[in-house]
Amino acid sequence: MADVEALIQELDDRMRLDCRRLSQWRVVHRTTGLLYTVVLIFVPAVLAVGFTSSETVLGKVLLLTAAVVGGLNVTFKPYLHSQSRRAAVNTMRRLRDEFRAEVVGTGDGDLLAVYRKYSTTYATIFEQRGGELVDGRLSVEEPPPKSAELPVKAGEVPT
């Protein structure tokens, strides 16, 4: 029984740590996205109003900063302004709450079955979330685009 309780505690600790990390990364990404947006609004305004000229060293630094930040913002915008990050945090919190409630509700019953059920669900969610990352997407071969399929002749029904 002590082994099962150790498994239950370990899974609960993993879920808690995952929730905390997801929340921290969400704050990092939101802060970075906000900073990029402020820079992209502020730099052109400073140059347009004439606080500095684009011919000065400061002006050139501001233009270079705007170009770099703009490129980073466009490249990572799906990750910086992602609604899926909030959904991932909520999914993990809900899964952990359900797991803890079922452990308490089971009492001395079949805790091993509860552990197996939720560890499998947690692993599936964790793997799915990993596939959404940049590295995960690069390693997956995408299916060919629809235009690469054979054209349908007039009068034929596509299958």
Side-chain angles (χ1 to χ4, degrees):
M1 189 65 164
D3 292 336
V4 174
E5 289 178 8
L7 287 173
I8 296 288
Q9 185 62 42
E10 187 255 338
L11 181 60
D12 186 49
D13 291 343
R14 276 192 290 158
M15 286 183 185
R16 183 174 33 81
L17 180 64
D18 197 27
C19 287
R20 189 173 345 128
R21 284 183 180 163
L22 282 169
S23 296
Q24 287 173 347
W25 277 112
R26 184 169 170 256
V27 169
V28 166
H29 287 122
R30 289 182 71 188
T31 305
T32 304
L34 180 65
L35 180 68
Y36 285 176
T37 303
V38 168
V39 167
L40 290 174
I41 291 171
F42 180 73
V43 169
V46 166
L47 293 173
V49 171
F51 288 131
T52 186
S53 169
S54 61
E55 302 299 322
T56 64
V57 173
L58 178 60
K60 290 179 183 182
V61 168
L62 288 174
L63 286 173
L64 180 63
T65 302
V68 170
V69 168
L72 290 172
N73 192 37
V74 168
T75 302
F76 296 108
K77 191 169 192 152
Y79 305 102
L80 296 176
H81 305 285
S82 175
Q83 291 295 328
S84 66
R85 204 167 305 286
R86 176 180 292 172
V89 172
N90 290 336
T91 299
M92 284 310 304
R93 285 184 180 152
R94 187 178 65 240
L95 181 69
R96 183 169 180 246
D97 290 343
E98 290 172 2
F99 169 68
R100 294 171 71 197
E102 194 161 333
V103 166
V104 170
T106 303
D108 291 335
D110 196 7
L111 288 176
L112 190 57
V114 173
Y115 170 79
R116 286 182 178 146
K117 173 184 170 185
Y118 282 94
S119 66
T120 302
T121 305
Y122 173 69
T124 303
I125 291 171
F126 194 81
E127 184 177 330
Q128 179 184 12
R129 210 174 55 229
E132 295 171 358
L133 298 174
V134 175
D135 292 340
R137 290 194 181 225
L138 292 176
S139 66
V140 175
E141 290 185 28
E142 294 184 20
K146 298 265 184 204
S147 62
E149 295 176 1
L150 296 173
V152 178
K153 295 180 185 174
E156 285 186 338
V157 178
T159 56

